[in-house]
Each structure stands twice: as C-alpha cells, then as structure tokens.
Amino acid sequence: MTMARGAMARRVLSRLGGMIVVLALLVTVVFVIVRVTPGDPAAVMLGPDATQADIDQLRAQLGLDQPMLVQYFLYLGQLLHGDLGQSIFLNQPVLSALADRAEPTFFLTIFSILIATIIGVPVGIIAAYKRGTLFDQAVVVAAMLSASIPSFWLGLLLIQWFSVQMGWFPTSGYGGPYAGFFDRIQHLVLPAVSLGIVNSALIVRFTRASMLDVLQEDYVRTARSKGMSEFRAVMRHAFKNALIPIVTVIGLTLALLISGAVVTETVFGLPGVGSLVVSAVLRRDYPVIQGALLVVAAIYVLINFLIDMLYVVIDPRVRY
Amino acid sequence: MAAVAASSAGAPASLRAFLQRPAVAIGLVLLIIVVALAVFAPFVTPFSPTKLSIASRLKPPSAEHWFGTDDFGRDIFARTLYAGRLSLTVGASVVLVSGVIGLVLGVAAGYFRRLDPAISRLLDAMMAFPDILLAISLVAALGASVVNVIAALGITYAPRLARIVRASTLVTRELTFIEAAHALGVGTFAILTRHILRSLVSPILVQGTFVFAYAMLAEAGLSFLGVGVSPDVPTWGTMISLGREFMNTAPWLMLFPGIAIVLTVLSLQLVGDGLRDLLDPRLSQNV
C-alpha cells in the first residue's frame, strides 16, 4: 500500500513537472508571437499619426528597446510577480482588465458545458444502447450536423427567433453595470445554448463510442444474466466503466468552448474576455492579447491536469 | 502499416464499401457539388458577385435572384458561389501549410528519439491555446490579410497533424523491414522518404480532411470578427458579418452563406469519417 502510494506521489509529481514545462513553453510561445510582428510593434500600436518621440517612449515603456534576451527575462520576471503588463488603450493593468471581464466568460463557459453535457451524455448512452436503430443513426447525423454549424451563425439565428421575434430573451449585452444576478443570467441563456448545442456533438460521439465498447464486455452480460434490471446493468456497470473517456472529452470540450466563447461573446455583445481580446486585436493592444492568450492557455493546461487527477477518483484501477 | 498494406491491396473492395455507406456517399457528392459550384461559378450564374444595382437593393429570394440581393443590390447567390472559391482555397491552403509543418515536426519527433521530448512538449504547449484565440493573436501580430490568415491557421492546426504523424512514425520505424533496410545500409534520408513517408499518407489524408473542416469554421469566425480577411473580400464569414446588420429586415443576407458553411463542413466531416474507416480500420469505428 505504501508502495502504491509512493508510486502515485511520484506520478503526480511527474505530471506536475510536465505541466510546469508546458507552462514555461506557453510563456515562450506567447513571447515569440508578439515579437514576430513585422516592423515596430510600438509604431503599429500608436498608428500612423504618432510622433517618433511617442513611439520611442512606448518602446521604452514596453521594454522593446532592450536586447531580445533581456526582454525575455524581464517578461519572465514580471510574470513571476503576477504582472501581465499594462494595457495601452485601457490604461489599466492587463490582469485587472481580465479580472473585470472574467465573470461573463466564466458563467458562459460553465452554462455551455452544462448544456453540452446534459444533451451529450444521455443522448450518447441511448444511441449506444439502441445501436443501429433509426434513433442511433439520427443521433450520429445530428451530432455531425451540429458540429458543422458555426456557433456565431447559430447565435445570430437564435437572436432572430427568440429575441427579436418571440421577445423571450434580451438581444445582446449583459444587463448593464447595475443589473441583478438573474438579469445577467438571462442574458447568458441564448449564448450558452448556441455554444452548448454546437459543442455537444463531440460529447455525444464519445459517449456513444465508449458505451458501445463497454456494453459488449463480459461483465455487462453477466450483470444481465444475473437478472439485474436493464437500467442498472447499463448505468451501474457499463456507464461507470465508460466514464473515463467521457470525462476526458468533457474536459476537451471545455477547452473548445473557450475558443467558441471568443466569437459568441462578440455576437451577443457580452463584455467578456473574448470581446476584450477582439477589441484588443482591432486596437493592436498587444499586452492585452499576450496576457489573455497566456491566462486562457494556462487554464486549459490546469484543467487537463485536474482531469488526469480525476481519473484516480473515478477508476480505482488507475494507479499513479 | 499492415492496415495500410491491406487496404491498398484490397482497394477496389474497400473502395466499394466506402462508397456504399450512404453517409459517406452523401458527403462526397455534397463536397463535389460545393467545389464544382465554386469553381464553375461563372457558368452557373449569369450574375456578377460585384456588380452594384441600387434599383434592386435588399430584394428577397425570387425566381431571378435565387438567394435575394444585398444592400448594394448584388446577387447573393453569385456572391455565395464566388465567396466559396476563397473560403475553400483558404481551407485547402491551411491543410497544406499545417500538413507540411506537421510532417516535419512529426517525423522529427517520431524518428529521431532525441528530439522527441522537446518537440512533444512544444506540441502540448501549442495545443493548449484555443484555436481561434491563437489564430487571432497570430493575425494580429502578422497583419490582417488572406495569406496571413492562412499562415496563422496553418500554424494553429499544425500540432494536430504533427501528433498523428509522430504516432504513425513511431509505429512504422519499429517494423522489421525498416530494421532490414538499416542493416542493408540504406541511408536515413532514403528510409524516411521511401518508407516512412508512404506510411504517413493515410493518417495525413484523414486528419487533413478534418483540419480542412475546422479551418473553414475558424476562417469564417475570424472574418466574422473582422480580424481576418478584409470585409471587402467576399468570403462566407465576411458575408455573414455584413449581413448581420440587415438580420431583421433581410435575413437572407446571412442565411445563405451560413448554410454554405454548414453543408461544406458537414460534407468534409462525412468524407473524413469514411476515409478513417477505410484507411485506418484500427481506429475506433464507433466514434
């Protein structure tokens, strides 16, 4: 037992080490992306009307006048102090700009993954159980179709139907600065539905596939032959063993959702991280782009790590 | 590799099986129709995609203008067809760019063991960026243009291909005939180009089809956000973006380019699924 625990600790530590390496690489990639800008980023950011003195001042402020390697270590040092730099246009630290915009993005992501899971898992289980039937085939086609719909386009259609024509939901925004919690949630229904539907496809397909695998296993047959009810045989024996791939794909979907949220927030006028990034791109506010890219990717790496750790809880056979 | 050999030996039979699956056949027919409509646009519609006609602004779909007209009186059907040319070109170019980068990185990681840890970690890091967000940042850095959108999306999707290539290379390099080739004194370069590359055709073809589909969606997203291709250039994404303004009064402006995206991406996914089952039966057929 102590041996197993030691092995597990080693495994967790090695995953932790791997995560740190990946995070360090993320930082490097982000650093490089902003530096591949042809020409002078400071001049690009300030636009054609800027004077040379302004440009020089911004270069100095951003540290762009230093040698590349010095810039890199300055950047690392800043990050270790939790400093993501200063937004040029918002006149605000990038970290606080991100924090201000975090709430809509957080709730949008959570609601969307809930919707995607609530649709995806049961539909996938039933499709696998009814393998080869008309229902199963319809599910497979519907999943593929929903994965082919651009989420922003679906969002526009939903606004048209449910907000403009039916008047059920607000057409855009987040209810203003003094909106109550319920009001804000109401603004998130349509964006979350459009993202949830589009992203349920992967969950449906993986749930179906991993259920198909385990439904053929001996222990499910044994459970049935013991006279266990179908529902219990499917849920207790099959579903429990199909959980690992399903949890993995839900985690993967969470990452895809963050990408979808960038576009969906813009469609619905939600003041989230995604719309912050889009406006930063249009204004060439590089520190904001850099910071957002880094934070989002780091969250993704963290989610992956947590999912890995979750395996141990779900499946006692996985011993790290 | 055994699977690849088997599938090429029994090509006619498995090709028949491939085409006999209704979903695959539908996907293939759909894809051919979409590509043909875009390529032969001038023969399909008499209308020009750019000709302004203020007299016929914002006309709903009719026998003359099948998809209606936009706010400048331009024929939406013609614009959808011509925009398809660019959207499809961007998608295909992204596959090409990410294919080349993915091939180089994947083979390097899979064949040269010492390079593997560094490249694999880099791929992990690249895959941690959400695709649209990474592409947006790259376009922001490189400047907005069609070529830079292709480059940005190519870099964004390269890790997906690199991973597949790495995995296949790892399998192939352990096979006996590679060992035999080594023993016979065949050089590394010759082994790579003659044997390894051949084994990579199927996995790249399968994954490339899916990357094509993702790239089409991503390009539409970037154009919609106004951070990709210039709004004056008609792609399906920019058409939706421009049509958004008239959503309440003239929904056909955004409806038809959207349907074009859905059908194209759907057909690519159907074909990709079929190709995967045909070329790589070891992969789960259930997914």
Side-chain angles (χ1 to χ4, degrees), chain A residues 97-164:
Chain A
L98 286 173
D100 285 352
R101 305 294 199 101
E103 191 197 289
T105 308
F106 176 76
F107 283 122
L108 174 60
T109 312
I110 297 294
F111 291 157
S112 307
I113 196 77
L114 277 177
I115 291 171
T117 308
I118 289 169
I119 299 174
V121 173
V123 169
I125 292 176
I126 298 170
Y129 186 69
K130 300 195 164 197
R131 171 175 209 173
T133 61
L134 200 64
F135 178 81
D136 181 30
Q137 285 167 19
V139 164
V140 171
V141 172
M144 210 172 261
L145 187 67
S146 65
S148 306
I149 304 175
S151 61
F152 63 91
W153 187 67
L154 183 63
L156 290 174
L157 294 181
L158 291 180
I159 292 175
Q160 186 61 27
W161 288 330
F162 293 107
S163 302
V164 177

Side-chain angles (χ1 to χ4, degrees), chain B residues 15 63 89 105 134 137 176 277:
Chain B
L15 196 65
T89 307
L105 287 177
L134 179 59
S137 311
T176 328
D277 293 349

